[in-house]
Amino acid sequence: MELRGPEPPGSRPRQQNLGSWAAAGRRAAPYLVLMALLIFTGAFLLGYVAFRGSCQTCGDSVLVVSEDVNYEPGLDPHQGTLYWSDLQAMFLRLLGEGHLEDTMRQTSLRERAAGSAGMAALAQDIRAAFSRQKLDHVWADTHYVGLQFPDRAHPNTLHWVGAAGKAGEPLPLEDPDVYCPYSAAGNATGQLVYAHYGRPADLQDLRAQGVEPAGRLLLVRVGKVSFAQKVASAQAFGASGVLIYPDPADLSWDAHKLSLSSHRAVYGHVHLGTGDPYTPGFPSFNQTQFPPVQSSGLPSIPAQPISADVASHLLRKLEGPVAPQEWQGRLPGSPYRLGPGPGLLLGVHNRRVSTPISNIFGCIEGRSEPDHYVVIGAQRDAWGPGAAKSAVGTAILLELVRTFSSMVSDGFQPRRSLLFVSWDGGDFGSVGSTEWLEGYLSVLHLKAVVYVSLDNAVLGDDRFHAKTSPLLTNLIQSILKQVDSPNRSGQTLYEQVVFTNSSWDAEVIRPLPMDSSAYSFTAYAGVPAVEFSFLEDGQAYPFLHTKEDTYDNLHAALRGRLPAVAQAVARLAGLLLIRLSHDHLLPLDFGCYGDVALRHMGSLNEFAGDLKARGLTLQWVYSARGDYIRAAEKLRKEIYSSEDSDERLMRMYNVRIMRVEFYFLSQYVSPADSPFRHIFLGHGDHTLGALLDHLRLLRTEGPGGFQESRFRRQLALLTWTLQGAANALSGDVWNIDNNF
């Protein structure tokens, strides 16, 4: 029963209209909901694509800020926002206002051997130059290190040995100031044998030809591997000493190009390691009580550089089989036989001197992450003029300091701190930089983001190489596309590279060698690092590590293009610093080590059958690699679903990303016994390379072959380091999900 009031006139037609509208609404409702869903889905996909599109250079592993996204608010409120293109243009404009050519020339004219009065004066000048740029912090770090120098009272000698075994006629060392720092002191006697470059494979081939290197003096050529590696290999094969000479076949042989004088010898240290070999693993600060130990990389046999003329004289005395065709050099009148030849007596009398060295630092503090450092450095010292060795890098470093200081004045505010360093003691094996790493290792592995080396940056202009950690490969590719080629008008460096090889990374990317100043940052401290080099096509720059490494010779070797090539290096390094110091998310490819591991797994797979026959397996290391790939993919998805405006979240991601390299330092070996703990780039039984070398013994017979207990230990060290990297990349312990 319903009570109703009187109906107003005309009310019934209105109720009928409302009913018809309601019915129509009920029929249209599903279509409206569907349309709303389509609009929402389209907007979401558009936003997602735009978000992913901001990653222009680094694949799926990192995010970067594109030109279309606000990049940097200027200091001046009327200036507006600085975009990537603004920062790039600002950097290039300010860099072009410098005096790079004059700085290179003036630096190469200064005497700056480590420990000299000239070096002390240059260190003061570098510090004053940093201070003039009004950096936030400028300071020096002094270390007291053991360096070796020739003994002027007892110079190194080389004599023929007579039939009675006594020293006979001396052979003049035409370049007597040239020596091998950290050579063993004393006399070495033996018949002479020609051993090509002195690599292990060369010495094995020598034995295969019936010529025994043990007990002999080896004559080896400059090149292919470092002096230290040559001497270490000779020592391992039982040689009594080493003579190292420059062969014209390895240097410029073009009549239109400059070549090294045949009277010149080449300088090089022979410590198989970096830093002060008399305080391995410890920083060489004054008053430190060091244990009485020496680096295991110090040789126990003497070594001495000699000129091509002296080597030619020695080669003419050799007998025995003719050297293989690929061992033949270009010394005139030399038949290149393997030997043995007459007996020689080598006397080396270098002396150890406790020497103060000083590293100079300058810092621009970051705005959001000041405790995270992007480090760029250059060796300052040089044996001889050192134009290519250190003058070019020092000049570029000074220009970058001036340029970035001016950028800050014009409104640039890096998120992370920029640390500029001038290193001392580099010619003795990156002594200055390694001692700094040893002194502050507990801090640097938490705070150093990347190291960029400017050493050996310009040795030619035909080819470009980047010796680097895999984490930086994609970023380098991106920067190459934005730097003009110094010798091909209208092309970028990337276009120059792919013109000769469509696989750009095969043409450009190289692993970090031990004789690079960047090596210790990665293999010892776990900091990703890169060293750039422009090179000649074919033969190497002939004057490196000699008294003829002058500005004029380097300029002439590059056909007058030295300033242009040095400017290209400065642009490359500067744009790299901008990206590393200011992208919201660090542009490091944290997923790349999954691919690195996969490439090495192919080599391991070759021995799967041999291991299976012994009841052994590589399954555990395969599982660890799978966990790393899953952890990287999980982190990648987290980043894609995050807002880059969330500073706390971005910092948390950056901390995980910047420590990826450190994760690959084996935590299961002692830094004192195995300082280069990186399982891919380091040295020692814990590395993947050592495991592969051991597995090859499965297919050899005789003593010293495959040892199952050693294999199990190597596999455990490798597996658990890789598994630890996967766990660390996963984040918090409750987020770790592995199927190990």
Side-chain angles (χ1 to χ4, degrees):
M1 185 175 181
E2 183 178 357
L3 295 177
R4 296 183 180 179
E7 294 182 358
S11 62
R12 188 172 302 277
R14 183 177 181 184
Q15 288 180 353
Q16 291 175 346
N17 290 339
L18 288 174
S20 62
W21 278 106
R26 286 191 296 271
R27 288 193 299 271
Y31 299 100
L32 292 173
V33 171
L34 181 61
M35 184 176 295
L37 285 173
L38 287 173
I39 293 172
F40 175 78
T41 302
F44 175 79
L45 290 174
L46 183 62
Y48 179 74
V49 169
F51 184 68
R52 284 180 63 96
S54 65
C55 182
Q56 299 171 339
T57 64
C58 303
D60 292 334
S61 299
V62 298
L63 300 175
V64 300
V65 182
S66 73
E67 291 190 21
D68 299 325
V69 180
N70 291 354
Y71 199 59
E72 170 63 47
L75 289 175
D76 184 351
H78 302 293
Q79 183 184 53
T81 299
L82 293 175
Y83 296 94
W84 163 249
S85 58
D86 300 321
L87 290 176
Q88 188 177 23
M90 180 193 295
F91 169 75
L92 295 176
R93 173 177 58 82
L94 292 171
L95 181 66
E97 296 174 359
H99 305 282
L100 182 56
E101 183 176 1
D102 290 342
T103 307
M104 287 189 292
R105 185 189 298 275
Q106 293 303 318
T107 303
S108 67
L109 293 175
R110 300 186 63 160
E111 195 276 328
R112 56 190 193 285
S116 67
M119 170 54 85
L122 180 58
Q124 291 178 354
D125 291 345
I126 297 287
R127 185 170 184 173
F130 281 12
S131 297
R132 282 195 298 272
Q133 298 305 326
K134 297 181 173 57
L135 304 181
D136 294 312
H137 308 282
V138 176
W139 73 99
D141 209 9
T142 300
H143 301 266
Y144 292 79
V145 298
L147 305 182
Q148 271 196 5
F149 299 97
D151 189 339
R152 302 300 179 191
H154 299 88
N156 299 341
T157 57
L158 185 64
H159 290 80
W160 294 112
V161 173
K166 294 184 178 180
E169 180 185 356
L171 283 91
L173 297 176
E174 296 180 309
D175 220 349
D177 293 335
V178 186
Y179 70 110
C180 288
Y182 304 125
S183 163
N187 298 324
T189 305
Q191 291 178 298
L192 185 69
V193 167
Y194 172 56
H196 204 206
Y197 293 108
R199 298 167 296 188
D202 295 330
L203 299 179
Q204 289 168 359
D205 290 345
L206 197 61
R207 276 183 174 167
Q209 293 282 336
V211 180
E212 176 57 50
R216 268 64 183 267
L217 279 173
L218 302 188
L219 178 65
V220 302
R221 286 155 59 166
V222 171
K224 302 299 182 183
V225 294
S226 69
F227 280 30
Q229 290 169 297
K230 297 175 192 293
V231 175
S233 298
Q235 179 177 310
F237 277 76
S240 60
V242 183
L243 300 172
I244 306 173
Y245 80 97
D247 197 290
D250 302 307
L251 305 173
S252 175
W253 193 247
D254 190 332
H256 302 289
K257 292 185 177 181
L258 297 174
S259 59
L260 183 66
S261 166
S262 61
H263 304 291
R264 291 295 188 195
V266 179
Y267 167 97
H269 77 88
V270 292
H271 172 217
L272 190 64
T274 62
D276 182 355
Y278 304 109
T279 60
F282 297 90
S284 298
F285 291 117
N286 199 19
Q287 308 301 326
T288 302
Q289 300 298 308
F290 299 116
V293 295
Q294 294 184 354
S295 168
S296 60
L298 281 175
S300 60
I301 60 174
Q304 175 66 27
I306 61 174
S307 68
D309 278 350
V310 174
S312 180
H313 186 55
L314 294 175
L315 281 168
R316 286 195 291 269
K317 299 289 186 179
L318 290 182
E319 300 174 350
V322 175
Q325 182 60 40
E326 59 271 20
W327 287 33
Q328 296 291 321
R330 289 179 178 166
L331 286 174
S334 301
Y336 286 90
R337 292 184 177 275
L338 298 179
L344 287 171
L345 171 62
L346 171 64
V348 173
H349 310 292
N350 305 332
R351 59 193 179 91
R352 170 184 167 186
V353 179
S354 180
T355 308
I357 61 171
S358 295
N359 301 322
I360 310 300
F361 299 83
C363 177
I364 296 174
E365 275 199 35
R367 171 175 53 87
S368 302
E369 301 176 39
D371 56 334
H372 291 165
Y373 318 142
V374 178
V375 188
I376 183 166
Q379 174 183 326
R380 184 175 71 252
D381 65 300
W383 182 92
K389 180 61 181 175
S390 64
V392 170
T394 296
I396 293 173
L397 179 71
L398 291 171
E399 285 302 303
L400 290 174
V401 169
R402 179 195 58 78
T403 301
F404 276 93
S405 176
S406 299
M407 289 178 66
V408 170
S409 298
D410 283 2
F412 174 54
Q413 293 180 309
R415 295 178 60 84
R416 301 170 195 94
S417 296
L418 286 166
L419 191 58
F420 304 92
V421 195
S422 175
W423 303 115
D424 200 350
D427 261 357
F428 292 82
S430 305
V431 173
S433 57
T434 302
E435 294 308 307
W436 184 66
L437 288 172
E438 289 177 342
Y440 302 100
L441 182 63
S442 59
V443 173
L444 292 175
H445 88 269
L446 299 172
K447 295 178 179 290
V449 176
V450 166
Y451 176 66
V452 180
S453 169
L454 298 173
D455 297 339
N456 302 310
V458 181
L459 303 174
D461 68 344
D462 294 324
R463 292 155 53 217
F464 175 79
H465 283 172
K467 292 168 278 190
T468 183
S469 158
L471 291 172
L472 289 161
T473 299
N474 283 336
L475 178 59
I476 291 168
Q477 180 185 20
S478 170
I479 300 298
L480 288 179
K481 294 178 179 180
Q482 300 172 58
V483 177
D484 293 336
S485 167
N487 59 1
R488 294 192 180 178
S489 179
Q491 285 189 347
T492 64
L493 273 177
Y494 182 81
E495 291 168 335
Q496 174 184 332
V497 166
V498 297
F499 181 80
T500 56
N501 189 340
S502 58
S503 177
W504 84 273
D505 52 344
E507 177 70 19
V508 170
I509 302 301
R510 298 290 185 274
L512 284 165
M514 187 182 288
D515 58 357
S516 164
S517 64
Y519 179 80
S520 291
F521 277 84
T522 299
Y524 173 72
V527 177
V530 61
E531 180 177 289
F532 304 116
S533 293
F534 279 92
L535 307 165
E536 283 294 284
D537 206 0
Q539 282 79 17
Y541 170 67
F543 307 120
L544 193 65
H545 297 129
T546 74
K547 294 178 181 177
E548 296 182 18
D549 183 17
T550 63
Y551 178 89
D552 290 338
N553 274 342
L554 181 60
H555 194 54
L558 270 70
R559 302 170 297 281
R561 303 196 57 79
L562 174 56
V565 179
Q567 191 80 1
V569 174
R571 293 192 194 108
L572 184 68
L575 295 180
L576 195 72
L577 292 181
I578 294 174
R579 289 289 308 278
L580 288 167
S581 67
H582 205 70
D583 277 12
H584 279 69
L585 196 77
L586 281 171
L588 302 178
D589 185 1
F590 55 83
C592 68
Y593 270 114
D595 297 328
V596 171
L598 179 61
R599 288 196 297 270
H600 289 294
M601 296 304 171
S603 301
L604 292 175
N605 280 337
E606 296 178 20
F607 303 96
D610 302 87
L611 291 171
K612 186 176 181 180
R614 292 171 174 259
L616 302 171
T617 179
L618 294 166
Q619 182 58 43
W620 303 119
V621 74
Y622 299 154
S623 297
R625 174 191 168 268
D627 285 341
Y628 184 86
I629 291 174
R630 284 187 288 274
E633 180 63 24
K634 182 179 179 181
L635 177 57
R636 186 160 44 234
K637 290 179 178 178
E638 287 181 24
I639 292 171
Y640 281 151
S641 62
S642 304
E643 291 289 341
D644 63 0
S645 59
D646 188 332
E647 291 287 341
R648 185 195 65 83
L649 200 56
M650 287 299 106
R651 180 180 174 86
M652 183 183 72
Y653 289 144
N654 283 334
V655 167
R656 286 163 68 180
I657 292 170
M658 67 182 280
R659 294 179 187 170
V660 165
E661 200 79 70
F662 179 77
Y663 301 155
F664 290 99
L665 301 187
S666 179
Q667 307 301 307
Y668 307 101
V669 295
S670 165
D673 298 330
S674 301
F676 305 121
R677 294 178 293 149
H678 202 291
I679 59 172
F680 295 116
L681 302 173
H683 286 265
D685 223 34
H686 60 284
T687 63
L688 183 57
L691 176 62
L692 283 169
D693 289 341
H694 189 198
L695 286 174
R696 293 186 182 102
L697 297 178
L698 283 166
R699 299 174 183 177
T700 62
E701 297 180 358
F706 181 81
Q707 301 173 19
E708 182 175 329
S709 60
R710 180 188 171 202
F711 165 77
R712 288 181 179 276
R713 183 177 185 277
Q714 286 180 304
L715 187 63
L717 290 173
L718 178 67
T719 300
W720 281 105
T721 302
L722 186 54
Q723 185 66 46
N727 293 344
L729 195 63
S730 296
D732 295 306
V733 291
W734 52 82
N735 289 327
I736 297 174
D737 179 21
N738 61 59
N739 298 311
F740 200 64

